Amino acid sequence: GRARPSHSEPRGRDGRGGEEEEMEGWHPLYPGHIPTSPLQKALLAAGSAVMALYDPYRHDMVAVLGETTGCLALPNLRDKMKNHPEGYRILQERPRIRLSTLDMARLQGLPDGSLGREYVRFLEDNKVSPDTRMPPKFVDDEELAYVIQRYREVHDLMHTLLGMPTNMLGEVVVKWFEAIQTGLPMCVLGAAFGPVRLSTRKLQVLATELIPWAIRSGLNASCVLNVYYEQRWEQPVESLREELGIFPPP
């Protein structure tokens, strides 16, 4: 599933060779894919990390950081999915969480407390949309690109399951949970440096209550990418929390 260089011309006639010519011979693996060398990925990672720390709401920079630093975590997540019946089905069927795939009227009509109803309530209350999740560009493996796409599209469901809003405090708590669950350096960075923008009072609540709870839940819970959420809309949120091993929010 990896992109492979074309060898139709062994060396550049103008004396060029090596990395520059090799990159010209690479071909996209999926729509929007941009082939990049290890050096280019390192530069993108460094630049996106600086911008994401400066402005945590720069979702485009957070996305680039996740793709360029996830070379170890993404294969591990894919293997967890392949070794789980529900996760394996997700990899095979490639479901997407988009407004075009969601029956919003049906979800709004589900009982209070159900996953679908609470997910829509979260989207409405926080004025967010699943369509804002950026497609992958810099992951050089088509299957791993889907894994990070899936992670992005279930992020709002993590907020729903954890009962966390989209303010900075809520995002930091979710990042701690996701860092434990996924091992993605992007999540670790957000968990570690996100709190610097919080007030002293919020930092105290974060350190004494929310972070310990997020860490315990992340360690105790089964892999959240192994849930076919689209087939669980009717399930009560509390039931799904219990099934996954997420402790009730403090």
Side-chain angles (χ1 to χ4, degrees), residues 1-243:
R2 292 184 59 80
R4 299 188 181 279
S6 169
H7 298 291
S8 56
E9 293 185 89
R11 301 288 292 183
R13 287 186 293 271
D14 58 357
R16 292 181 309 159
E19 184 176 281
E20 182 181 353
E21 186 183 40
E22 182 175 311
M23 292 306 300
E24 289 180 357
W26 283 58
H27 304 288
L29 294 168
Y30 48 85
H33 172 236
I34 302 175
T36 48
S37 69
L39 176 60
Q40 289 171 322
K41 281 185 172 61
L43 293 173
L44 285 167
S48 60
V50 171
M51 290 304 300
L53 289 173
Y54 177 74
D55 181 3
Y57 290 102
R58 281 291 303 270
H59 298 297
D60 55 339
M61 294 293 98
V62 174
V64 171
L65 181 61
E67 293 176 33
T68 54
T69 61
C71 56
L72 297 178
L74 289 175
N76 184 49
L77 286 171
R78 176 194 57 195
D79 292 346
K80 286 183 179 180
M81 295 178 75
K82 281 188 172 182
N83 293 322
H84 186 278
E86 202 164 336
Y88 182 75
R89 267 203 314 126
I90 293 168
L91 282 178
Q92 294 300 305
E93 298 177 12
R94 305 285 179 91
R96 296 291 307 277
I97 299 178
R98 311 280 293 171
L99 288 178
S100 60
T101 65
L102 296 173
D103 186 343
M104 298 297 285
R106 172 175 167 264
L107 297 182
Q108 289 169 336
L110 291 174
D112 289 343
S114 64
L115 177 65
R117 182 67 190 95
E118 297 310 315
Y119 173 62
V120 171
R121 194 190 313 278
F122 170 85
L123 296 179
E124 293 171 343
D125 289 349
N126 293 280
K127 296 179 174 59
V128 294
S129 165
D131 287 359
T132 60
R133 301 300 167 192
M134 293 185 62
K137 296 179 180 178
F138 302 110
V139 179
D140 294 327
D141 182 290
E142 187 266 343
E143 191 171 46
L144 297 183
Y146 175 75
V147 171
I148 200 166
Q149 181 77 59
R150 184 66 174 175
Y151 156 74
R152 289 173 182 167
E153 292 184 358
V154 303
H155 175 75
D156 289 334
L157 283 159
M158 294 304 99
H159 277 273
T160 304
L161 283 172
L162 298 173
M164 290 293 129
T166 58
N167 59 24
M168 186 57 64
L169 182 64
E171 289 292 351
V172 169
V173 174
V174 173
K175 278 292 176 282
W176 274 96
F177 177 83
E178 292 179 339
I180 299 295
Q181 274 276 307
T182 68
L184 286 166
M186 168 198 66
C187 297
V188 176
L189 193 68
F193 290 96
V196 299
R197 294 171 175 266
L198 298 176
S199 67
T200 302
R201 183 180 63 83
K202 289 182 178 180
L203 280 173
Q204 183 178 4
V205 173
L206 187 70
T208 59
E209 296 182 38
L210 296 177
I211 288 179
W213 165 74
I215 292 175
R216 287 193 304 116
S217 291
L219 291 171
N220 189 64
S222 55
C223 180
V224 293
L225 292 185
N226 286 335
V227 179
Y228 211 138
Y229 294 98
E230 296 88 333
Q231 299 179 356
R232 306 285 199 108
W233 295 131
E234 293 85 358
Q235 184 172 355
V237 169
E238 290 187 7
S239 169
L240 185 53
R241 280 183 191 145
E242 184 176 350
E243 178 186 333

